[in-house]
Amino acid sequence: MRHATDPDHVIAVSTIVSRERSLSKAALIGALWGVGHTLTIVLVGAAIILFNIVIPPRVGLTMEFAVGLMLILLGILNLTGVSRWMSEKFSPAHPHITGEHAHIHEHDSHLHFHRHSHAPVQQHHADSLAEPRWLRRPFGSLGMFHSLRPLLIGIVHGLAGSAAVALLVLSTIHDPRWGVFYLLIFGLGTIAGMMLITAAMSLPFSYAGTRFAWLSRGLVTGSGLLSLVFGLFVVYQIGIVDGLFTSHPLWSPK
């Protein structure tokens, strides 16, 4: 759970939940990040433990360098508004349809359908329809785009940290089977920790909501700027200081 509080983890997730107004959805986003992180930690870490795979310094630095690039990308997407455009494009809250139709509506984090018409002579909202069964499932409330984004980000973060975790396990647990079990418990703790962190981080965004539009915009901009700056720092640290772009890279997993 402490691993979930690492700065690069928190900053990456903050750019995702900066537009989220629901605590339950924010927690689900954190869980998806944790699942992606756990997948690579277990797969790569288990390979290192079971088969004694040695990761070359340049490969290890490249995996960590990818995290810096991802943070820069997330920051740019937030600052330019592309992130919001992609959200509306791939997970639209309202389809562009004229005439009478039904669309997803939300009250207090509860999704359902409303009959809806843009014709001025008709009532804007008529009787509600019961939501389909798939909407009752957790991932139905997020949509494909919002589900895949934290999952993929978690996979990149897990790839960067898998070697360090595996080396930690090898130094303390000499039975490979117990080492892999340790990775699974580590992953579950990361999922739980990230769920709590994202839910807590979404509180100011949820409070600001539509009541304080200026504050909401400021939080979104701040999270994007922080991600961009920290990503540039990571890229400089790994590429220049640690020597990824030199002939003698120095890498100590941590």
Side-chain angles (χ1 to χ4, degrees):
M1 292 180 73
R2 195 221 63 80
H3 181 67
T5 64
D6 285 354
D8 56 331
H9 298 168
V10 175
I11 292 172
V13 174
S14 70
T15 62
I16 303 176
V17 300
S18 61
R19 299 183 185 277
E20 187 55 63
R21 304 290 176 263
S22 168
L23 295 182
S24 60
K25 289 182 183 179
L28 182 56
I29 287 172
L32 287 168
W33 184 98
V35 168
H37 184 276
T38 300
L39 282 175
T40 46
I41 285 287
V42 172
L43 291 177
V44 178
I48 294 174
I49 293 172
L50 296 175
F51 305 109
N52 294 318
I53 295 176
V54 177
I55 297 180
R58 195 174 299 279
V59 174
L61 286 174
T62 301
M63 293 190 296
E64 295 184 4
F65 188 79
V67 173
L69 293 179
M70 184 187 64
L71 290 171
I72 293 173
L73 177 62
L74 289 173
I76 292 174
L77 292 179
N78 254 28
L79 291 172
T80 58
V82 173
S83 180
R84 180 173 183 176
W85 177 84
M86 293 177 67
S87 298
E88 294 174 351
K89 179 72 174 179
F90 296 103
S91 298
H94 193 293
H96 297 287
I97 303 174
T98 58
E100 185 175 356
H101 55 280
H103 73 92
I104 298 174
H105 198 69
E106 181 176 4
H107 287 300
D108 300 324
S109 301
H110 175 65
L111 288 168
H112 56 282
F113 277 121
H114 269 313
R115 289 195 182 278
H116 180 80
S117 175
H118 290 281
V121 295
Q122 298 183 16
Q123 182 181 358
H124 188 72
H125 285 122
D127 295 336
S128 294
L129 298 173
E131 70 272 20
R133 184 172 299 175
W134 66 268
L135 267 181
R136 300 171 191 170
R137 299 174 184 173
F139 299 109
S141 63
L142 281 180
M144 184 64 69
F145 173 73
H146 292 292
S147 299
L148 288 177
R149 182 171 53 169
L151 185 66
L152 294 175
I153 293 173
I155 287 174
V156 174
H157 274 285
L159 192 63
S162 55
V165 177
L167 292 176
L168 170 66
V169 175
L170 283 172
S171 66
T172 55
I173 303 175
H174 302 291
D175 188 328
R177 293 171 299 177
W178 283 109
V180 174
F181 184 68
Y182 177 100
L183 293 179
L184 290 171
I185 299 299
F186 181 89
L188 291 176
T190 305
I191 293 172
M194 192 53 69
M195 285 182 67
L196 293 174
I197 289 172
T198 52
M201 288 172 56
S202 69
L203 281 173
F205 300 103
S206 177
Y207 175 76
T210 56
R211 293 172 295 180
F212 304 101
W214 61 271
L215 178 58
S216 180
R217 288 193 299 269
L219 291 172
V220 170
T221 302
S223 65
L225 188 61
L226 181 61
S227 181
L228 176 60
V229 172
F230 192 78
L232 290 171
F233 169 76
V234 171
V235 166
Y236 172 79
Q237 181 70 29
I238 295 174
I240 306 301
V241 178
D242 293 337
L244 174 60
F245 301 132
T246 67
S247 57
H248 301 288
L250 300 175
W251 181 56
S252 55
K254 53 185 181 297

Coordinates of all heavy atoms in Angstrom, one line a residue, residues 153-229:
I153 N -1.8 2.5 -18.1 CA -0.8 3.3 -17.3 C -0.2 2.4 -16.2 O 1.0 2.5 -15.9 CB -1.5 4.5 -16.8 CG1 -1.8 5.5 -17.9 CG2 -0.6 5.3 -15.8 CD1 -2.6 6.7 -17.5
G154 N -1.1 1.6 -15.6 CA -0.6 0.7 -14.5 C 0.4 -0.3 -15.0 O 1.4 -0.6 -14.4
I155 N 0.2 -0.8 -16.3 CA 1.1 -1.8 -16.9 C 2.4 -1.1 -17.1 O 3.5 -1.8 -16.8 CB 0.5 -2.3 -18.2 CG1 -0.7 -3.2 -17.9 CG2 1.6 -3.0 -19.0 CD1 -1.4 -3.7 -19.2
V156 N 2.5 0.1 -17.6 CA 3.8 0.8 -17.8 C 4.5 1.0 -16.4 O 5.7 0.7 -16.3 CB 3.6 2.1 -18.5 CG1 4.9 2.9 -18.6 CG2 3.0 1.9 -19.9
H157 N 3.8 1.4 -15.4 CA 4.4 1.6 -14.1 C 4.9 0.3 -13.5 O 6.0 0.2 -12.9 CB 3.4 2.2 -13.1 CG 3.3 3.7 -13.2 ND1 4.3 4.5 -12.7 CD2 2.4 4.6 -13.7 CE1 4.0 5.8 -12.9 NE2 2.8 5.8 -13.5
G158 N 4.1 -0.8 -13.7 CA 4.5 -2.1 -13.2 C 5.8 -2.6 -13.9 O 6.6 -3.2 -13.3
L159 N 5.9 -2.3 -15.2 CA 7.0 -2.7 -16.0 C 8.3 -2.1 -15.4 O 9.4 -2.7 -15.3 CB 6.8 -2.4 -17.4 CG 7.8 -3.0 -18.4 CD1 7.7 -4.5 -18.4 CD2 7.6 -2.4 -19.8
A160 N 8.2 -0.8 -15.1 CA 9.3 0.0 -14.5 C 9.7 -0.5 -13.2 O 10.9 -0.4 -12.8 CB 9.0 1.5 -14.5
G161 N 8.8 -1.0 -12.3 CA 9.1 -1.3 -11.0 C 9.3 -2.8 -10.7 O 9.7 -3.2 -9.6
S162 N 9.1 -3.6 -11.7 CA 9.1 -5.1 -11.5 C 10.4 -5.6 -11.1 O 10.6 -6.5 -10.3 CB 8.6 -5.8 -12.8 OG 9.4 -5.4 -13.9
A163 N 11.5 -5.1 -11.7 CA 12.9 -5.6 -11.4 C 13.2 -5.3 -10.0 O 13.8 -6.1 -9.3 CB 13.9 -4.9 -12.4
A164 N 12.9 -4.0 -9.5 CA 13.2 -3.7 -8.1 C 12.5 -4.5 -7.1 O 13.1 -5.0 -6.1 CB 12.9 -2.2 -7.9
V165 N 11.2 -4.8 -7.4 CA 10.4 -5.7 -6.5 C 11.0 -7.1 -6.5 O 11.1 -7.7 -5.4 CB 8.9 -5.6 -6.8 CG1 8.2 -6.6 -5.9 CG2 8.4 -4.2 -6.7
A166 N 11.3 -7.6 -7.7 CA 11.8 -9.0 -7.7 C 13.1 -9.1 -7.0 O 13.4 -10.1 -6.3 CB 12.0 -9.4 -9.2
L167 N 14.0 -8.1 -7.2 CA 15.3 -8.1 -6.4 C 15.1 -8.1 -4.9 O 15.9 -8.7 -4.2 CB 16.2 -7.0 -6.9 CG 16.7 -7.1 -8.4 CD1 17.5 -5.9 -8.8 CD2 17.5 -8.4 -8.6
L168 N 14.1 -7.3 -4.5 CA 13.8 -7.2 -3.1 C 13.4 -8.6 -2.6 O 13.8 -9.0 -1.5 CB 12.7 -6.2 -2.8 CG 12.1 -6.2 -1.4 CD1 13.1 -5.7 -0.4 CD2 10.9 -5.3 -1.4
V169 N 12.5 -9.3 -3.3 CA 12.1 -10.6 -2.9 C 13.2 -11.6 -2.9 O 13.4 -12.4 -2.0 CB 11.0 -11.1 -3.9 CG1 10.6 -12.5 -3.6 CG2 9.8 -10.2 -3.9
L170 N 14.1 -11.6 -3.9 CA 15.2 -12.5 -4.0 C 16.2 -12.4 -2.8 O 16.8 -13.3 -2.4 CB 16.0 -12.3 -5.3 CG 15.3 -12.9 -6.6 CD1 16.1 -12.5 -7.8 CD2 15.3 -14.4 -6.5
S171 N 16.3 -11.1 -2.3 CA 17.2 -10.9 -1.2 C 16.7 -11.4 0.1 O 17.4 -11.5 1.1 CB 17.6 -9.4 -1.1 OG 16.4 -8.6 -0.8
T172 N 15.4 -11.6 0.2 CA 14.8 -12.0 1.5 C 14.1 -13.4 1.5 O 14.0 -14.0 2.5 CB 13.7 -11.0 1.9 OG1 12.8 -10.8 0.9 CG2 14.4 -9.6 2.2
I173 N 13.6 -13.8 0.3 CA 12.9 -15.1 0.2 C 13.6 -16.0 -0.8 O 13.7 -15.6 -2.0 CB 11.4 -14.9 -0.2 CG1 10.7 -13.9 0.8 CG2 10.7 -16.2 -0.3 CD1 9.3 -13.5 0.4
H174 N 14.1 -17.1 -0.4 CA 14.9 -18.0 -1.2 C 14.1 -19.1 -1.9 O 14.6 -19.7 -2.8 CB 16.0 -18.6 -0.4 CG 16.9 -17.6 0.2 ND1 17.8 -16.7 -0.5 CD2 17.1 -17.2 1.5 CE1 18.4 -15.9 0.3 NE2 18.0 -16.2 1.5
D175 N 12.9 -19.3 -1.5 CA 12.0 -20.3 -2.1 C 11.2 -19.5 -3.2 O 10.4 -18.6 -3.0 CB 11.0 -20.9 -1.1 CG 10.2 -22.0 -1.7 OD1 9.9 -22.0 -2.9 OD2 9.9 -22.9 -0.9
P176 N 11.4 -19.9 -4.5 CA 10.7 -19.2 -5.6 C 9.2 -19.2 -5.5 O 8.6 -18.2 -5.9 CB 11.2 -20.0 -6.9 CG 12.5 -20.7 -6.5 CD 12.3 -21.0 -5.0
R177 N 8.6 -20.3 -5.0 CA 7.2 -20.3 -4.9 C 6.6 -19.3 -3.9 O 5.7 -18.6 -4.2 CB 6.7 -21.7 -4.4 CG 7.0 -22.8 -5.5 CD 6.7 -24.2 -4.9 NE 7.6 -24.5 -3.8 CZ 7.6 -25.6 -3.1 NH1 6.7 -26.5 -3.4 NH2 8.4 -25.8 -2.1
W178 N 7.3 -19.1 -2.8 CA 6.9 -18.1 -1.8 C 7.2 -16.7 -2.4 O 6.6 -15.8 -2.0 CB 7.7 -18.3 -0.5 CG 7.0 -19.4 0.3 CD1 7.6 -20.6 0.6 CD2 5.8 -19.4 1.0 NE1 6.7 -21.4 1.3 CE2 5.6 -20.7 1.6 CE3 4.8 -18.5 1.1 CZ2 4.5 -21.0 2.3 CZ3 3.6 -18.8 1.8 CH2 3.5 -20.0 2.4
G179 N 8.3 -16.6 -3.2 CA 8.6 -15.4 -3.8 C 7.5 -14.9 -4.7 O 7.1 -13.7 -4.7
V180 N 6.9 -15.8 -5.5 CA 5.8 -15.4 -6.4 C 4.6 -15.1 -5.6 O 3.8 -14.2 -5.9 CB 5.5 -16.6 -7.4 CG1 4.3 -16.3 -8.2 CG2 6.7 -16.8 -8.3
F181 N 4.4 -15.8 -4.5 CA 3.2 -15.5 -3.6 C 3.4 -14.1 -3.0 O 2.4 -13.4 -2.9 CB 3.2 -16.6 -2.5 CG 2.0 -16.4 -1.6 CD1 0.7 -16.6 -2.1 CD2 2.1 -16.0 -0.3 CE1 -0.4 -16.5 -1.2 CE2 1.1 -15.8 0.5 CZ -0.2 -16.1 0.1
Y182 N 4.6 -13.8 -2.7 CA 4.9 -12.4 -2.2 C 4.5 -11.4 -3.2 O 3.9 -10.4 -2.9 CB 6.4 -12.3 -1.9 CG 6.8 -10.9 -1.4 CD1 7.0 -10.7 0.0 CD2 7.1 -9.9 -2.3 CE1 7.4 -9.4 0.4 CE2 7.5 -8.6 -1.9 CZ 7.6 -8.4 -0.6 OH 8.0 -7.2 -0.1
L183 N 4.8 -11.6 -4.5 CA 4.4 -10.7 -5.5 C 2.9 -10.5 -5.6 O 2.4 -9.4 -5.9 CB 5.0 -11.1 -6.9 CG 6.5 -11.2 -7.1 CD1 6.9 -11.7 -8.4 CD2 7.1 -9.8 -6.8
L184 N 2.2 -11.6 -5.5 CA 0.7 -11.5 -5.5 C 0.2 -10.7 -4.4 O -0.7 -9.8 -4.6 CB 0.1 -12.9 -5.5 CG 0.3 -13.8 -6.7 CD1 -0.1 -15.2 -6.5 CD2 -0.4 -13.2 -7.9
I185 N 0.7 -10.9 -3.2 CA 0.2 -10.1 -2.0 C 0.6 -8.6 -2.2 O -0.1 -7.7 -1.9 CB 0.9 -10.7 -0.7 CG1 0.4 -12.1 -0.5 CG2 0.5 -9.8 0.5 CD1 -1.1 -12.3 -0.4
F186 N 1.8 -8.4 -2.7 CA 2.3 -7.1 -3.0 C 1.3 -6.4 -4.0 O 0.9 -5.2 -3.8 CB 3.7 -7.1 -3.6 CG 4.3 -5.8 -4.0 CD1 5.0 -5.1 -3.0 CD2 4.1 -5.2 -5.2 CE1 5.6 -3.8 -3.3 CE2 4.6 -4.0 -5.5 CZ 5.4 -3.3 -4.6
G187 N 0.9 -7.1 -5.0 CA 0.0 -6.6 -6.0 C -1.4 -6.2 -5.4 O -2.0 -5.2 -5.7
L188 N -1.9 -7.1 -4.5 CA -3.2 -6.8 -3.9 C -3.1 -5.6 -3.0 O -4.0 -4.8 -3.0 CB -3.6 -8.0 -3.0 CG -4.0 -9.3 -3.8 CD1 -4.3 -10.5 -2.9 CD2 -5.2 -9.0 -4.7
G189 N -2.0 -5.4 -2.3 CA -1.8 -4.2 -1.5 C -1.7 -3.0 -2.3 O -2.3 -1.9 -2.0
T190 N -1.1 -3.1 -3.5 CA -1.0 -1.9 -4.4 C -2.4 -1.5 -4.9 O -2.8 -0.4 -5.0 CB -0.1 -2.2 -5.6 OG1 1.2 -2.6 -5.1 CG2 0.1 -1.0 -6.5
I191 N -3.2 -2.5 -5.3 CA -4.6 -2.3 -5.7 C -5.4 -1.6 -4.7 O -6.1 -0.6 -4.9 CB -5.3 -3.6 -6.2 CG1 -4.6 -4.2 -7.4 CG2 -6.8 -3.4 -6.5 CD1 -5.1 -5.6 -7.8
A192 N -5.3 -2.1 -3.4 CA -6.1 -1.5 -2.3 C -5.6 -0.1 -2.0 O -6.4 0.8 -1.8 CB -5.9 -2.4 -1.1
G193 N -4.3 0.1 -2.0 CA -3.7 1.4 -1.7 C -4.1 2.4 -2.8 O -4.5 3.6 -2.5
M194 N -4.1 2.1 -4.1 CA -4.4 3.0 -5.1 C -5.9 3.3 -5.1 O -6.3 4.4 -5.5 CB -4.0 2.4 -6.5 CG -4.0 3.4 -7.6 SD -3.1 5.0 -7.2 CE -1.4 4.4 -7.2
M195 N -6.7 2.3 -4.8 CA -8.2 2.6 -4.6 C -8.4 3.7 -3.6 O -9.2 4.7 -3.9 CB -8.9 1.3 -4.3 CG -9.1 0.3 -5.4 SD -10.0 -1.1 -4.8 CE -11.7 -0.4 -4.6
L196 N -7.8 3.6 -2.5 CA -8.0 4.6 -1.4 C -7.4 6.0 -1.8 O -8.0 7.0 -1.6 CB -7.3 4.1 -0.1 CG -7.8 2.9 0.6 CD1 -6.9 2.5 1.7 CD2 -9.3 3.2 1.1
I197 N -6.3 6.0 -2.5 CA -5.6 7.2 -2.9 C -6.5 7.9 -3.9 O -6.7 9.1 -3.8 CB -4.2 7.0 -3.4 CG1 -3.3 6.6 -2.3 CG2 -3.7 8.2 -4.1 CD1 -1.9 6.1 -2.7
T198 N -6.9 7.2 -5.0 CA -7.7 7.9 -6.0 C -9.0 8.4 -5.5 O -9.5 9.4 -5.9 CB -7.9 6.9 -7.2 OG1 -8.5 5.7 -6.7 CG2 -6.7 6.6 -7.9
A199 N -9.7 7.6 -4.6 CA -10.9 8.1 -4.0 C -10.7 9.4 -3.2 O -11.5 10.3 -3.3 CB -11.5 7.0 -3.1
A200 N -9.6 9.4 -2.4 CA -9.3 10.6 -1.6 C -8.9 11.8 -2.5 O -9.3 12.9 -2.3 CB -8.1 10.3 -0.7
M201 N -8.2 11.5 -3.6 CA -7.8 12.6 -4.5 C -9.0 13.2 -5.3 O -9.0 14.3 -5.7 CB -6.8 12.1 -5.6 CG -5.4 11.8 -5.0 SD -4.3 11.0 -6.1 CE -4.3 12.1 -7.5
S202 N -10.0 12.4 -5.5 CA -11.2 12.9 -6.2 C -12.1 13.8 -5.4 O -13.0 14.4 -5.9 CB -12.0 11.7 -6.8 OG -12.6 11.0 -5.7
L203 N -11.8 13.8 -4.1 CA -12.7 14.6 -3.2 C -12.7 16.1 -3.6 O -13.8 16.7 -3.7 CB -12.3 14.4 -1.8 CG -12.7 13.2 -1.0 CD1 -12.0 13.1 0.3 CD2 -14.2 13.1 -0.9
P204 N -11.6 16.8 -3.8 CA -11.6 18.2 -4.2 C -12.3 18.4 -5.5 O -13.0 19.4 -5.8 CB -10.2 18.6 -4.2 CG -9.4 17.4 -4.3 CD -10.2 16.3 -3.6
F205 N -12.1 17.4 -6.5 CA -12.7 17.6 -7.8 C -14.2 17.4 -7.7 O -15.0 18.1 -8.3 CB -12.1 16.5 -8.8 CG -10.6 16.7 -9.0 CD1 -9.7 15.8 -8.4 CD2 -10.1 17.7 -9.8 CE1 -8.3 16.0 -8.6 CE2 -8.7 17.8 -10.0 CZ -7.9 17.0 -9.4
S206 N -14.6 16.4 -6.8 CA -16.0 16.2 -6.6 C -16.7 17.3 -6.0 O -17.8 17.7 -6.3 CB -16.2 14.9 -5.8 OG -17.6 14.6 -5.6
Y207 N -16.0 17.9 -5.0 CA -16.5 19.1 -4.3 C -16.7 20.3 -5.2 O -17.7 21.0 -5.1 CB -15.7 19.4 -3.1 CG -16.1 20.7 -2.3 CD1 -17.2 20.6 -1.5 CD2 -15.4 21.9 -2.5 CE1 -17.6 21.8 -0.8 CE2 -15.8 23.0 -1.8 CZ -17.0 22.9 -1.0 OH -17.4 24.1 -0.3
A208 N -15.6 20.5 -6.0 CA -15.7 21.7 -6.9 C -16.8 21.5 -7.9 O -17.7 22.4 -8.0 CB -14.3 21.8 -7.6
G209 N -16.8 20.4 -8.6 CA -17.9 20.1 -9.5 C -18.3 21.2 -10.4 O -17.4 22.0 -10.9
T210 N -19.6 21.4 -10.5 CA -20.1 22.5 -11.4 C -20.3 23.8 -10.5 O -20.6 24.9 -11.1 CB -21.4 22.1 -12.0 OG1 -22.3 21.7 -11.0 CG2 -21.1 20.9 -13.0
R211 N -20.2 23.7 -9.2 CA -20.5 24.8 -8.4 C -19.3 25.8 -8.4 O -19.5 27.0 -8.4 CB -20.7 24.4 -6.9 CG -22.0 23.6 -6.7 CD -22.0 23.0 -5.3 NE -20.9 22.0 -5.1 CZ -20.8 21.4 -4.0 NH1 -21.5 21.6 -2.9 NH2 -19.8 20.5 -3.9
F212 N -18.1 25.3 -8.5 CA -17.0 26.2 -8.6 C -16.2 25.8 -9.9 O -15.1 25.1 -9.8 CB -16.1 26.0 -7.4 CG -16.8 26.3 -6.1 CD1 -17.2 25.3 -5.3 CD2 -17.1 27.6 -5.7 CE1 -17.9 25.5 -4.1 CE2 -17.7 27.9 -4.5 CZ -18.2 26.9 -3.7
A213 N -16.7 26.2 -11.0 CA -16.1 25.8 -12.3 C -14.6 26.2 -12.4 O -13.8 25.5 -12.9 CB -16.9 26.3 -13.5
W214 N -14.4 27.4 -11.9 CA -13.0 28.0 -11.9 C -12.0 27.1 -11.1 O -10.9 26.9 -11.5 CB -13.0 29.4 -11.4 CG -13.4 29.6 -10.0 CD1 -14.7 29.8 -9.6 CD2 -12.6 29.5 -8.8 NE1 -14.7 29.8 -8.2 CE2 -13.4 29.7 -7.7 CE3 -11.2 29.3 -8.7 CZ2 -12.9 29.7 -6.4 CZ3 -10.7 29.3 -7.4 CH2 -11.6 29.5 -6.3
L215 N -12.5 26.6 -10.0 CA -11.6 25.8 -9.1 C -11.4 24.4 -9.8 O -10.3 23.9 -9.8 CB -12.3 25.6 -7.8 CG -11.5 24.7 -6.8 CD1 -10.1 25.2 -6.5 CD2 -12.3 24.6 -5.5
S216 N -12.5 23.9 -10.4 CA -12.3 22.6 -11.1 C -11.3 22.7 -12.2 O -10.5 21.9 -12.4 CB -13.7 22.2 -11.6 OG -13.6 20.9 -12.3
R217 N -11.4 23.8 -13.0 CA -10.5 24.0 -14.1 C -9.1 24.2 -13.6 O -8.1 23.7 -14.2 CB -10.9 25.2 -14.9 CG -12.1 25.0 -15.8 CD -12.3 26.2 -16.8 NE -12.4 27.5 -16.1 CZ -13.6 28.0 -15.8 NH1 -14.7 27.4 -16.1 NH2 -13.6 29.2 -15.2
G218 N -8.9 24.9 -12.5 CA -7.6 25.1 -11.9 C -7.0 23.8 -11.4 O -5.8 23.5 -11.6
L219 N -7.8 22.9 -10.8 CA -7.3 21.6 -10.4 C -6.9 20.7 -11.6 O -5.8 20.0 -11.5 CB -8.4 20.9 -9.6 CG -8.7 21.5 -8.2 CD1 -10.0 20.8 -7.6 CD2 -7.5 21.3 -7.3
V220 N -7.6 20.8 -12.6 CA -7.3 20.0 -13.8 C -6.0 20.5 -14.4 O -5.1 19.8 -14.8 CB -8.4 20.1 -14.9 CG1 -7.9 19.5 -16.2 CG2 -9.7 19.4 -14.4
T221 N -5.9 21.9 -14.5 CA -4.6 22.5 -15.0 C -3.4 22.2 -14.2 O -2.3 21.8 -14.6 CB -4.8 24.0 -15.2 OG1 -5.9 24.3 -16.0 CG2 -3.6 24.6 -15.8
G222 N -3.6 22.3 -12.8 CA -2.6 22.0 -11.9 C -2.1 20.6 -12.0 O -0.8 20.3 -12.0
S223 N -3.0 19.6 -12.1 CA -2.5 18.2 -12.2 C -1.8 18.0 -13.5 O -0.8 17.2 -13.5 CB -3.8 17.3 -12.1 OG -4.6 17.5 -13.2
G224 N -2.2 18.6 -14.6 CA -1.6 18.4 -15.9 C -0.2 19.0 -15.8 O 0.8 18.4 -16.3
L225 N 0.0 20.2 -15.2 CA 1.2 20.9 -15.2 C 2.2 20.1 -14.3 O 3.4 20.0 -14.6 CB 1.0 22.3 -14.6 CG 2.3 23.2 -14.6 CD1 2.8 23.4 -16.0 CD2 1.9 24.6 -14.0
L226 N 1.7 19.6 -13.2 CA 2.6 18.8 -12.3 C 3.1 17.6 -13.0 O 4.3 17.2 -12.8 CB 1.8 18.4 -11.0 CG 2.5 17.6 -9.9 CD1 3.7 18.4 -9.4 CD2 1.6 17.2 -8.8
S227 N 2.2 16.9 -13.7 CA 2.6 15.7 -14.4 C 3.6 16.0 -15.5 O 4.6 15.3 -15.6 CB 1.4 15.1 -15.1 OG 1.7 13.9 -15.8
L228 N 3.5 17.1 -16.2 CA 4.4 17.5 -17.2 C 5.8 17.8 -16.6 O 6.8 17.3 -17.1 CB 3.9 18.7 -18.0 CG 4.8 19.3 -19.0 CD1 5.1 18.3 -20.1 CD2 4.2 20.6 -19.6
V229 N 5.8 18.6 -15.6 CA 7.1 19.0 -15.0 C 7.8 17.8 -14.4 O 9.0 17.6 -14.6 CB 6.9 20.0 -13.9 CG1 8.2 20.3 -13.1 CG2 6.4 21.3 -14.5

